[in-house]
Amino acid sequence: MHWLWTLIVGGVIGAIAGAITSKGKSMGIIFNIIAGLVGSSIGQALLGSWGPQLAGMALIPSIIGAVILVAVVSFFLGKK
């Protein structure tokens, strides 16, 4: 059950990151989950585990990390 909750929270974090960077409509649900989970790892590695936590992820650093990830990926893979 923990994995399901982690995937849901990762998808929400990825969707928030997509909305912040204006790339939310071009990303699918799978990329939202991946961006949320990988962005959470990046954010917590760079900023630590402070702030409110949900499903083992610190929300604020996770969102910041996911925004960084989405911005970098869309910069390199964006349509020209």
Side-chain angles (χ1 to χ4, degrees):
M1 192 66 174
H2 178 72
W3 283 102
L4 179 62
W5 188 241
T6 302
L7 292 175
I8 291 170
V9 172
V12 170
I13 290 171
I16 292 170
I20 291 172
T21 59
S22 301
K23 303 291 181 193
K25 294 182 180 177
S26 63
M27 298 186 329
I29 190 165
I30 300 298
F31 186 74
N32 279 342
I33 294 171
I34 293 169
L37 295 175
V38 174
S40 175
S41 298
I42 292 170
Q44 289 184 39
L46 294 175
L47 303 172
S49 295
W50 52 272
Q53 293 193 3
L54 194 58
M57 292 182 258
L59 296 179
I60 296 170
S62 297
I63 292 171
I64 293 170
V67 166
I68 292 169
L69 176 71
V70 169
V72 168
V73 168
S74 65
F75 176 76
F76 287 112
L77 299 179
K79 295 177 182 173
K80 297 180 181 183

